[in-house]
Amino acid sequence: MKINIKRIYETPDNKDGYRILIDRLWPRGIAKTEAHIDEWIKEIAPSNELRKWFGHQPELFGEFSKKYKAELKDKTELLSKIKSIAKKQTVTLLYGAKDTVHNQAVILQEVLNNA
């Protein structure tokens, strides 16, 4: 099972495999026709409340990670869906955040790889 993460603003690549946007909001500046996504699973993203609380502040990432993992426990069907796709082909989780270290894709990738 191969699950990658990538900013949606990076150039799509054939190695990306099945591209899933995992943001709740559509990324600014990207036309839907140019996004080259196979699926948008906004329901897997952190809740609006958690997203706003975190505000991409690196010092809150540890607590954000705990809270997001708690939210993901209620999304087993979506997690199973992504894992099922990843068993057949490479999956790339796409996100819009500028910070490539402190974002929900890092956490979701970890959860999927360890489940």
Side-chain angles (χ1 to χ4, degrees):
M1 188 166 77
K2 178 110 166 126
I3 299 175
N4 300 318
I5 59 174
K6 185 176 189 177
R7 287 193 76 221
I8 194 162
Y9 300 101
E10 293 178 48
T11 305
D13 189 307
N14 288 339
K15 295 176 190 170
D16 291 344
Y18 196 83
R19 293 168 48 93
I20 303 173
L21 177 62
I22 58 162
D23 281 348
R24 188 165 295 278
L25 305 174
W26 188 262
R28 291 183 185 159
I30 295 281
K32 291 185 179 178
T33 56
E34 296 172 10
H36 301 283
I37 65 168
D38 294 293
E39 191 165 0
W40 181 14
I41 307 179
K42 59 180 121 180
E43 300 83 7
I44 200 84
S47 65
N48 280 325
E49 298 79 17
L50 182 55
R51 181 181 58 80
K52 289 176 183 176
W53 173 82
F54 174 49
H56 300 287
Q57 299 174 63
E59 64 274 11
L60 298 177
F61 187 71
E63 188 63 23
F64 171 73
S65 179
K66 289 178 197 171
K67 290 180 178 189
Y68 183 40
K69 286 177 182 176
E71 286 185 357
L72 288 172
K73 288 184 181 186
D74 295 331
K75 301 183 181 186
T76 54
E77 195 172 304
L78 292 173
L79 293 170
S80 294
K81 177 181 180 174
I82 295 169
K83 286 194 313 189
S84 175
I85 296 166
K87 287 178 182 172
K88 298 173 192 152
Q89 62 184 310
T90 299
V91 167
T92 298
L93 304 175
L94 302 167
Y95 64 95
K98 290 179 184 174
D99 188 332
T100 59
V101 176
H102 305 100
N103 65 66
Q104 82 269 15
V106 172
I107 299 163
L108 182 55
Q109 180 187 39
E110 176 190 333
V111 167
L112 289 165
N113 282 330
N114 293 328

